Amino acid sequence: MEDNANSSVKYCEKCDKPIDICVCSNEEKAKNKVFVLILQHPQEQDKLLGTAKILTDRLENSQLVVALSRPGLKSILKKDVDPKKWGVLYLGAQKEKPIASGLYALDKNGMICPNKDEILKSLEGIILLDGSWDQAKKLWWRNPWLLKVRRLVLVPEKKSMYGKLRKEPRHESVSTLEATAMCLTALGEDKSIEEMLLNSFGKMLEKYKAHIAK
């Protein structure tokens, strides 16, 4: 695939990034137990710094869906699932904000569930809303079936690796890849999966810096 505006720039067919930014790998994918579903807003245009396709390249049990709305989990996964065993990561309004870092389950009133640890252990999959903050809110409101799954909030230990490369709406905001990596560890996945994902993200950022410096 080549850029019409600049035919000298070649793009990776898997991640749609310029070859000199691509970090796609031919290595065996990580066998994550908790399924990762990425619902991406159709107008998400940040292809250079986006991370959704890195996730599907690295995680065996993952899927990327580009759509403003879908009927529900069953239509996406093509099988019956219990929505209570799925969680969606969404900041939104919170009546009770966590103090310590970690992954939390909230009830319908925005309060931290007292049995959050039990809820997290029962999850079979997580849903990430990929796009800008405004795009994520639109995905949330255009997919009412998300109200049937567990709402999750992540409080990261560190700021996003994006640094000054991308402005985040809140100090606790991180990339889709970073959020996924931290969530998987919090849900009991091997720490090596998080380390592998963050390592790939770091490589992409370094390549991006070299790319824009040309």
Side-chain angles (χ1 to χ4, degrees), residues 102-106 112-122:
L103 184 63
Y104 296 83
L106 303 185
I112 299 175
C113 297
N115 60 333
K116 68 176 184 63
D117 292 337
E118 294 179 16
I119 292 174
L120 295 179
K121 288 180 181 179
S122 70

Side-chain angles (χ1 to χ4, degrees), residues 107-138:
D107 61 22
K108 294 181 179 180
N109 296 317
M111 302 291 289
I112 299 175
C113 297
N115 60 333
K116 68 176 184 63
D117 292 337
E118 294 179 16
I119 292 174
L120 295 179
K121 288 180 181 179
S122 70
L123 295 183
E124 297 176 351
I126 54 174
I127 304 165
L128 286 298
L129 306 180
D130 189 57
S132 67
W133 175 232
D134 286 338
Q135 290 170 345
K137 286 194 290 185
K138 289 178 181 177

Side-chain angles (χ1 to χ4, degrees), residues 28-113:
E28 185 177 356
K29 294 185 178 183
K31 292 178 172 55
N32 53 304
K33 297 177 182 178
V34 179
F35 196 93
V36 174
L37 175 62
I38 308 164
L39 185 59
Q40 186 180 73
H41 193 286
Q43 295 180 346
E44 164 61 19
Q45 297 296 320
D46 197 355
K47 293 182 179 180
L48 291 182
L49 287 174
T51 61
K53 290 190 175 181
I54 299 178
L55 287 168
T56 54
D57 177 66
R58 291 291 194 273
L59 299 177
E60 183 175 279
N61 295 310
S62 63
Q63 183 178 346
L64 171 62
V65 176
V66 182
L68 186 58
S69 64
R70 291 297 298 270
L73 267 177
K74 182 178 180 179
S75 69
I76 296 174
L77 301 173
K78 309 301 182 185
K79 65 178 182 180
D80 290 322
V81 293
D82 182 355
K84 293 301 180 183
K85 292 185 178 181
W86 279 72
V88 56
L89 200 65
Y90 182 67
L91 284 173
Q94 302 171 39
K95 287 189 177 180
E96 182 180 5
K97 294 188 177 182
I99 299 176
S101 60
L103 184 63
Y104 296 83
L106 303 185
D107 61 22
K108 294 181 179 180
N109 296 317
M111 302 291 289
I112 299 175
C113 297

